[in-house]
Amino acid sequence: MKLSILDFVTIHTGNTQKEAIENSIETLKLAEDLGYHRYWFTEHHNSNRLVSTAPDLMIALALQHVSKIRLGSGGIMLPNHSALKVAENFAILESMYPGKIDLGLGRAAGTNPQTALALARSNDVMKNNSFDEQIDELTNFFNHSFASSHPYSTIKLSDSVNHVPNVVMLGSSHGGVQFAIKHELPFVFAGHISPDLMEGVLNYYYQQSGNKGVAALGVICAETDEEAKKLASSYELMWVRLLQGLGNFDRMSIEDALAYQYSAHELVILEGVRSKFITGSKETIEAKFKQIQESCNVDEIMMVDIYPDHESRLKGYRLLSPESDAS
């Protein structure tokens, strides 16, 4: 089974934005050395902790450091952009790294309504945006295939017909998978957002398309199950606070998170949060991966990076190294 990584480019406690980017590049190079299949960057806005607001810029930076691993967006939140601009940027990336660029597309804004409005620059765009139409425009820009009567038919991307990335649909509900099926696109399900829907949606995609999808989920791997649970404590508390409208992806130290006294209400929220990711030793994680592979009809798992610091992240990815399984 293929293993891949989705990176938010998180500023861990005590780090600067520059250090967060440098840490992600170090992780990327390790991932390539260890045999991981893809390395994707997210698009999130209005966060003081998540640096990856522009996946295409992160991919361009990453291109300077790798030669084999697939690079991509997980994803470009298409409602925030014009299809033309996305096509232009990814045609350039594909020309620089032929056959190894993934353009993962999402339907959400990846932020709150106020920030989404600032990105869209218009309430009309937010209200009337047609994702289906945007995908069609994107395809036609890449392939120079607008009908002659279309107002965009005279717009050309330089040599883009030879530089078309692998377009992938992302989803966390029954809605996203419908676009993947309709447009015959590969599909990645965000199990770290909607774990209860993951099995049903991925099996539906397989039944309707005949293709296996990808399951994305948060993963923390450590030497032991107990150590992995400790590493997860700050992520758990962050999400309990976020779901109560508190914080903005701020994370307490592991020590403070372990000492935190959850209220009865927060304990209920915590149980829901824990369903969004898996933790454990290499053996525990691999057993869970096998269960997901069989129950969801997938041949790839994309690990959403939720580690509390750079050191535990590198160690976790070494422990799960695809190369170690092949040897």
Side-chain angles (χ1 to χ4, degrees):
M1 181 172 57
K2 298 170 185 171
L3 294 179
S4 299
I5 296 170
L6 177 63
D7 192 354
F8 296 89
V9 192
T10 303
I11 302 176
H12 296 301
T13 302
N15 285 163
T16 64
Q17 176 170 298
K18 181 174 182 289
E19 289 169 333
I21 294 171
E22 290 171 344
N23 288 345
S24 285
I25 295 302
E26 183 180 1
T27 308
L28 165 68
K29 292 193 289 187
L30 176 69
E32 179 170 79
D33 290 343
L34 294 177
Y36 283 91
H37 183 55
R38 310 176 204 262
Y39 199 102
W40 281 9
F41 297 98
T42 67
E43 178 185 340
H44 286 85
H45 301 278
N46 191 29
S47 169
N48 59 357
R49 286 288 182 180
L50 308 182
V51 178
S52 188
T53 57
D56 43 5
L57 289 181
M58 291 305 305
I59 294 168
L61 177 61
L63 283 173
Q64 303 173 47
H65 302 279
V66 294
S67 61
K68 296 179 295 184
I69 194 170
R70 297 193 67 87
L71 295 173
S73 61
I76 289 290
M77 300 294 105
L78 201 52
N80 297 337
H81 311 278
S82 75
L84 173 59
K85 189 57 182 170
V86 173
E88 287 178 333
N89 290 357
F90 275 80
I92 290 172
L93 294 172
E94 176 67 21
S95 70
M96 296 169 65
Y97 199 48
K100 295 178 182 177
I101 295 293
D102 299 320
L103 170 52
L105 299 174
R107 296 187 299 149
T111 188
N112 60 23
Q114 294 83 5
T115 309
L117 175 59
L119 289 163
R121 299 176 62 220
S122 166
N123 274 313
D124 289 339
V125 171
M126 291 183 65
K127 291 176 182 176
N128 301 319
N129 172 66
S130 169
F131 187 81
D132 210 25
E133 182 180 333
Q134 280 191 293
I135 292 183
D136 284 338
E137 288 181 359
L138 191 66
T139 301
N140 285 317
F141 279 128
F142 278 133
N143 298 324
H144 295 180
S145 55
F146 282 109
S148 58
S149 59
H150 195 282
Y152 297 162
S153 62
T154 60
I155 300 174
K156 305 295 182 186
L157 278 67
S158 59
D159 201 27
S160 69
V161 73
N162 295 317
H163 302 302
V164 180
N166 175 45
V167 180
V168 182
M169 185 67 213
L170 315 182
S172 59
S173 69
H174 293 284
V177 71
Q178 300 296 341
F179 288 100
I181 293 166
K182 178 180 178 180
H183 294 275
E184 299 182 337
L185 299 175
F187 179 64
V188 178
F189 186 83
H192 58 295
I193 297 176
S194 304
D196 294 342
L197 298 178
M198 183 170 72
E199 182 175 336
V201 172
L202 282 168
N203 277 299
Y204 175 77
Y205 173 71
Y206 179 70
Q207 292 159 8
Q208 296 297 313
S209 70
N211 299 315
K212 293 189 175 184
V214 178
L217 60 158
V219 175
I220 291 182
C221 183
E223 291 283 358
T224 66
D225 290 349
E226 286 305 311
E227 178 63 20
K229 288 178 182 177
K230 286 182 180 179
L231 292 174
S233 61
S234 64
Y235 181 77
E236 293 171 346
L237 180 55
M238 178 195 78
W239 268 105
V240 169
R241 288 172 54 79
L242 280 170
L243 291 172
Q244 297 178 93
L246 304 172
N248 185 10
F249 293 96
D250 294 320
R251 291 172 71 156
M252 292 185 184
S253 68
I254 292 174
E255 293 74 21
D256 289 341
L258 289 171
Y260 185 83
Q261 296 296 308
Y262 286 94
S263 68
H265 173 64
E266 287 175 327
L267 286 172
V268 174
I269 299 173
L270 177 60
E271 285 307 305
V273 167
R274 284 176 171 164
S275 71
K276 296 176 183 291
F277 63 96
I278 59 176
T279 66
S281 65
K282 172 183 171 68
E283 293 74 23
T284 298
I285 296 292
E286 287 180 342
K288 290 180 179 179
F289 281 178
K290 185 174 175 59
Q291 289 177 343
I292 292 168
Q293 181 181 21
E294 294 173 352
S295 65
C296 296
N297 253 313
V298 298
D299 57 9
E300 180 178 348
I301 287 179
M302 179 166 284
M303 296 183 286
V304 180
D305 190 279
I306 60 172
Y307 287 91
D309 54 58
H310 186 50
E311 292 70 29
S312 62
R313 168 167 65 174
L314 295 179
K315 185 174 182 179
Y317 291 140
R318 287 192 182 100
L319 285 169
L320 292 172
S321 164
E323 289 293 328
S324 66
D325 292 336
S327 59

